[in-house]
Amino acid sequence: MEDLHGHTKKPLLKVIRKKCIDCCAGKYSEVQKCAAKDCDLWPYRMGKNPFHKRKMTNEQKQAAAQRLK
Ligand code: SF4
């Protein structure tokens, strides 16, 4: 895997989630309560893309949730 100044390829939703948790001083509950709706990351802060409306089976949802942990 390519290394770019110590960074490696990662899922962008996971990167955004991590950034939001950092922005909220590590408090997960504060990420959900974030009121900065003008922030470009706001729609993605919970590790999901709300613009993708894909139907998934319960098994697929559980697998996706495990990947985001
Ligand atoms: S959406 Fe923006 S302001 Fe809100 S927690 Fe994430 S980075 Fe911080």
Side-chain angles (χ1 to χ4, degrees), residues 1-66:
M1 185 173 289
E2 186 179 345
D3 184 306
L4 189 63
H5 297 285
H7 295 277
T8 55
K9 184 177 177 182
K10 297 173 190 144
L12 287 179
L13 285 173
K14 207 167 187 174
V15 170
I16 292 169
R17 176 82 173 145
K18 188 174 175 187
K19 178 62 190 168
C20 289
I21 292 167
D22 178 57
C23 179
C24 292
K27 295 186 179 173
Y28 289 72
S29 60
E30 293 303 314
V31 176
Q32 187 166 20
K33 293 184 226 167
C34 174
K37 293 180 182 172
D38 59 337
C39 176
D40 286 338
L41 303 186
W42 191 86
Y44 312 99
R45 74 196 188 288
M46 299 307 293
K48 295 178 184 169
N49 183 341
F51 301 105
H52 285 178
K53 301 287 183 194
R54 185 173 59 162
K55 292 199 176 206
M56 297 184 352
T57 65
N58 284 339
E59 291 79 20
Q60 289 171 321
K61 288 178 186 174
Q62 288 173 349
Q66 288 298 318

